Amino acid sequence: GSTETTSERVIGIAAPHVSPEGGWQCYQAAYKALTPDLSERTFIVLGTSHYGQPDKFGLTRKPFQTPFGTTRTEDKLISELADQRAVLMEDYCHAVEHSIEFQVLFLQAIYGPEVRVLPILCGSFGRHIRDNGYPEDDEGVKRFLGALGEIAARDRDRPIWVLGVDMAHMGVRYGDNFAARADQDEMTLVRERDEVRIGRVLASDAQGFWGLVEENQDDDLKWCGSSAIYSFITAVPQARGMLHRYEQWNIDEQSVVSFAGISFSD
């Protein structure tokens, strides 16, 4: 690619949170965008909350301990965000949640065990999908996303954003009445629809993205990264994305998950 200019600096990535054995090429495509000079930055990791409360953001002050070692925590920023009413301290959810933990492993592999990580679990905004509203209709969500935006806008030592997000969930395991095969039959249409949504993500078009998620109340595609993605593109509207890889993977014989590797610059 072209040499990176200051106007094209990387400010974040979106990677899967699917099992690395299935998503390794998309993880690789995303993490390749993170350059060595970012090692002292804080990495704000937005992950799908599979266990936490809807319309809430789950924080923890505890570091991540992995076979690589122990991360540094960002107490100051956590305290700043913990004041928001949409925040819960969800140590339990973080303890069992893989959507952030996988990102931590990749960050440690690149930047060493003591990489600075601020983990945020994003609860489902499902109620707003059903009501044809926006997540910010909830005052707590609106304020939290505003606070994230303030952190994003600071000039010095800007954070780097990492999204741990999967996309469509199709087939028998996920309640569909057909057996899904990656890139075949129904899944070719899913690819087309995923790509339309991804287009809105790359443009940081939060309203356009949410409008697509609300179609059919997302009962059909069942994207599981929508709240983390929406939170990022709302808090960092100047982000512009580049899609490096999109993939579908048979998690079992009859079920498929889709995901992508994306980088964002400002």
Side-chain angles (χ1 to χ4, degrees), residues 205-223:
D205 175 7
Q207 290 198 321
F209 173 71
W210 200 250
L212 292 169
V213 172
E214 282 183 330
E215 276 178 15
N216 310 317
Q217 302 193 334
D218 206 32
D219 286 340
D220 44 2
L221 293 187
K222 305 177 284 294
W223 267 39

mmCIF file of all heavy atoms in Angstrom, residues 205-223:
data_model
loop_
_atom_site.group_PDB
_atom_site.id
_atom_site.type_symbol
_atom_site.label_atom_id
_atom_site.label_comp_id
_atom_site.label_asym_id
_atom_site.label_seq_id
_atom_site.Cartn_x
_atom_site.Cartn_y
_atom_site.Cartn_z
ATOM 1 N N ASP A 205 -21.500 5.829 9.058
ATOM 2 C CA ASP A 205 -22.879 6.295 8.915
ATOM 3 C C ASP A 205 -23.736 5.546 9.938
ATOM 4 O O ASP A 205 -24.341 4.522 9.628
ATOM 5 C CB ASP A 205 -23.353 6.032 7.479
ATOM 6 C CG ASP A 205 -24.826 6.381 7.271
ATOM 7 O OD1 ASP A 205 -25.453 6.954 8.193
ATOM 8 O OD2 ASP A 205 -25.348 6.070 6.178
ATOM 9 N N ALA A 206 -23.777 6.084 11.157
ATOM 10 C CA ALA A 206 -24.449 5.376 12.249
ATOM 11 C C ALA A 206 -25.936 5.192 11.958
ATOM 12 O O ALA A 206 -26.496 4.116 12.168
ATOM 13 C CB ALA A 206 -24.241 6.124 13.568
ATOM 14 N N GLN A 207 -26.587 6.251 11.471
ATOM 15 C CA GLN A 207 -28.028 6.143 11.218
ATOM 16 C C GLN A 207 -28.316 5.173 10.076
ATOM 17 O O GLN A 207 -29.247 4.375 10.155
ATOM 18 C CB GLN A 207 -28.606 7.525 10.907
ATOM 19 C CG GLN A 207 -28.629 8.428 12.136
ATOM 20 C CD GLN A 207 -29.574 9.605 11.956
ATOM 21 O OE1 GLN A 207 -29.651 10.180 10.885
ATOM 22 N NE2 GLN A 207 -30.284 9.962 13.003
ATOM 23 N N GLY A 208 -27.528 5.245 9.012
ATOM 24 C CA GLY A 208 -27.719 4.329 7.891
ATOM 25 C C GLY A 208 -27.499 2.882 8.311
ATOM 26 O O GLY A 208 -28.253 1.978 7.926
ATOM 27 N N PHE A 209 -26.455 2.666 9.130
ATOM 28 C CA PHE A 209 -26.174 1.318 9.631
ATOM 29 C C PHE A 209 -27.336 0.825 10.481
ATOM 30 O O PHE A 209 -27.832 -0.289 10.309
ATOM 31 C CB PHE A 209 -24.874 1.325 10.451
ATOM 32 C CG PHE A 209 -24.590 0.020 11.149
ATOM 33 C CD1 PHE A 209 -24.220 -1.102 10.427
ATOM 34 C CD2 PHE A 209 -24.686 -0.085 12.533
ATOM 35 C CE1 PHE A 209 -23.966 -2.318 11.067
ATOM 36 C CE2 PHE A 209 -24.432 -1.293 13.179
ATOM 37 C CZ PHE A 209 -24.071 -2.407 12.441
ATOM 38 N N TRP A 210 -27.813 1.675 11.386
ATOM 39 C CA TRP A 210 -28.880 1.243 12.297
ATOM 40 C C TRP A 210 -30.164 0.964 11.529
ATOM 41 O O TRP A 210 -30.896 0.019 11.845
ATOM 42 C CB TRP A 210 -29.115 2.275 13.394
ATOM 43 C CG TRP A 210 -29.816 1.664 14.551
ATOM 44 C CD1 TRP A 210 -31.092 1.885 14.968
ATOM 45 C CD2 TRP A 210 -29.282 0.652 15.420
ATOM 46 N NE1 TRP A 210 -31.385 1.091 16.047
ATOM 47 C CE2 TRP A 210 -30.295 0.329 16.352
ATOM 48 C CE3 TRP A 210 -28.046 0.004 15.508
ATOM 49 C CZ2 TRP A 210 -30.113 -0.627 17.344
ATOM 50 C CZ3 TRP A 210 -27.864 -0.938 16.509
ATOM 51 C CH2 TRP A 210 -28.897 -1.248 17.408
ATOM 52 N N GLY A 211 -30.436 1.750 10.483
ATOM 53 C CA GLY A 211 -31.608 1.507 9.658
ATOM 54 C C GLY A 211 -31.580 0.121 9.029
ATOM 55 O O GLY A 211 -32.608 -0.570 8.955
ATOM 56 N N LEU A 212 -30.392 -0.326 8.619
ATOM 57 C CA LEU A 212 -30.263 -1.668 8.035
ATOM 58 C C LEU A 212 -30.420 -2.754 9.095
ATOM 59 O O LEU A 212 -31.022 -3.797 8.847
ATOM 60 C CB LEU A 212 -28.894 -1.811 7.347
ATOM 61 C CG LEU A 212 -28.693 -0.951 6.090
ATOM 62 C CD1 LEU A 212 -27.226 -0.967 5.672
ATOM 63 C CD2 LEU A 212 -29.581 -1.432 4.950
ATOM 64 N N VAL A 213 -29.897 -2.498 10.300
ATOM 65 C CA VAL A 213 -30.028 -3.486 11.384
ATOM 66 C C VAL A 213 -31.495 -3.643 11.771
ATOM 67 O O VAL A 213 -31.954 -4.746 12.086
ATOM 68 C CB VAL A 213 -29.176 -3.063 12.605
ATOM 69 C CG1 VAL A 213 -29.441 -3.970 13.808
ATOM 70 C CG2 VAL A 213 -27.684 -3.092 12.258
ATOM 71 N N GLU A 214 -32.244 -2.530 11.713
ATOM 72 C CA GLU A 214 -33.656 -2.571 12.133
ATOM 73 C C GLU A 214 -34.551 -3.319 11.143
ATOM 74 O O GLU A 214 -35.635 -3.764 11.512
ATOM 75 C CB GLU A 214 -34.186 -1.151 12.299
ATOM 76 C CG GLU A 214 -33.744 -0.506 13.586
ATOM 77 C CD GLU A 214 -34.344 0.878 13.763
ATOM 78 O OE1 GLU A 214 -34.612 1.552 12.747
ATOM 79 O OE2 GLU A 214 -34.524 1.271 14.917
ATOM 80 N N GLU A 215 -34.102 -3.451 9.882
ATOM 81 C CA GLU A 215 -34.907 -4.184 8.909
ATOM 82 C C GLU A 215 -35.190 -5.587 9.441
ATOM 83 O O GLU A 215 -34.282 -6.300 9.851
ATOM 84 C CB GLU A 215 -34.134 -4.320 7.589
ATOM 85 C CG GLU A 215 -34.246 -3.126 6.684
ATOM 86 C CD GLU A 215 -33.407 -3.323 5.432
ATOM 87 O OE1 GLU A 215 -32.990 -4.461 5.141
ATOM 88 O OE2 GLU A 215 -33.151 -2.318 4.753
ATOM 89 N N ASN A 216 -36.437 -5.976 9.443
ATOM 90 C CA ASN A 216 -36.830 -7.313 9.931
ATOM 91 C C ASN A 216 -36.395 -7.553 11.380
ATOM 92 O O ASN A 216 -36.228 -8.682 11.805
ATOM 93 C CB ASN A 216 -36.246 -8.422 9.040
ATOM 94 C CG ASN A 216 -36.518 -8.176 7.571
ATOM 95 O OD1 ASN A 216 -37.614 -7.786 7.201
ATOM 96 N ND2 ASN A 216 -35.517 -8.370 6.740
ATOM 97 N N GLN A 217 -36.175 -6.475 12.109
ATOM 98 C CA GLN A 217 -35.741 -6.544 13.517
ATOM 99 C C GLN A 217 -34.480 -7.400 13.681
ATOM 100 O O GLN A 217 -34.211 -7.948 14.752
ATOM 101 C CB GLN A 217 -36.865 -7.060 14.403
ATOM 102 C CG GLN A 217 -38.109 -6.186 14.298
ATOM 103 C CD GLN A 217 -39.127 -6.469 15.371
ATOM 104 O OE1 GLN A 217 -39.193 -7.572 15.910
ATOM 105 N NE2 GLN A 217 -39.929 -5.478 15.693
ATOM 106 N N ASP A 218 -33.700 -7.498 12.624
ATOM 107 C CA ASP A 218 -32.461 -8.291 12.596
ATOM 108 C C ASP A 218 -32.688 -9.753 12.977
ATOM 109 O O ASP A 218 -31.758 -10.460 13.347
ATOM 110 C CB ASP A 218 -31.363 -7.671 13.475
ATOM 111 C CG ASP A 218 -29.971 -8.061 12.972
ATOM 112 O OD1 ASP A 218 -29.806 -8.245 11.743
ATOM 113 O OD2 ASP A 218 -29.054 -8.217 13.784
ATOM 114 N N ASP A 219 -33.945 -10.218 12.886
ATOM 115 C CA ASP A 219 -34.212 -11.631 13.156
ATOM 116 C C ASP A 219 -33.610 -12.525 12.077
ATOM 117 O O ASP A 219 -33.461 -13.736 12.274
ATOM 118 C CB ASP A 219 -35.729 -11.895 13.209
ATOM 119 C CG ASP A 219 -36.347 -11.365 14.490
ATOM 120 O OD1 ASP A 219 -35.593 -11.163 15.465
ATOM 121 O OD2 ASP A 219 -37.571 -11.143 14.505
ATOM 122 N N ASP A 220 -33.312 -11.937 10.920
ATOM 123 C CA ASP A 220 -32.819 -12.763 9.815
ATOM 124 C C ASP A 220 -31.294 -12.879 9.815
ATOM 125 O O ASP A 220 -30.745 -13.974 9.858
ATOM 126 C CB ASP A 220 -33.338 -12.235 8.469
ATOM 127 C CG ASP A 220 -33.246 -10.715 8.350
ATOM 128 O OD1 ASP A 220 -32.738 -10.060 9.287
ATOM 129 O OD2 ASP A 220 -33.670 -10.178 7.318
ATOM 130 N N LEU A 221 -30.577 -11.759 9.833
ATOM 131 C CA LEU A 221 -29.105 -11.860 9.796
ATOM 132 C C LEU A 221 -28.498 -12.124 11.176
ATOM 133 O O LEU A 221 -27.444 -12.742 11.281
ATOM 134 C CB LEU A 221 -28.486 -10.587 9.197
ATOM 135 C CG LEU A 221 -28.768 -10.330 7.715
ATOM 136 C CD1 LEU A 221 -27.952 -9.130 7.231
ATOM 137 C CD2 LEU A 221 -28.469 -11.537 6.848
ATOM 138 N N LYS A 222 -29.130 -11.582 12.211
ATOM 139 C CA LYS A 222 -28.654 -11.836 13.583
ATOM 140 C C LYS A 222 -27.180 -11.455 13.768
ATOM 141 O O LYS A 222 -26.369 -12.249 14.203
ATOM 142 C CB LYS A 222 -28.900 -13.320 13.964
ATOM 143 C CG LYS A 222 -30.351 -13.746 13.803
ATOM 144 C CD LYS A 222 -30.585 -15.212 14.103
ATOM 145 C CE LYS A 222 -30.125 -16.164 13.014
ATOM 146 N NZ LYS A 222 -30.882 -16.062 11.735
ATOM 147 N N TRP A 223 -26.865 -10.223 13.414
ATOM 148 C CA TRP A 223 -25.503 -9.715 13.635
ATOM 149 C C TRP A 223 -25.252 -9.621 15.135
ATOM 150 O O TRP A 223 -26.078 -9.107 15.875
ATOM 151 C CB TRP A 223 -25.354 -8.323 13.017
ATOM 152 C CG TRP A 223 -24.817 -8.327 11.623
ATOM 153 C CD1 TRP A 223 -25.105 -9.214 10.633
ATOM 154 C CD2 TRP A 223 -23.901 -7.375 11.058
ATOM 155 N NE1 TRP A 223 -24.436 -8.869 9.479
ATOM 156 C CE2 TRP A 223 -23.686 -7.741 9.713
ATOM 157 C CE3 TRP A 223 -23.256 -6.253 11.556
ATOM 158 C CZ2 TRP A 223 -22.853 -7.028 8.861
ATOM 159 C CZ3 TRP A 223 -22.439 -5.534 10.714
ATOM 160 C CH2 TRP A 223 -22.227 -5.922 9.375
#
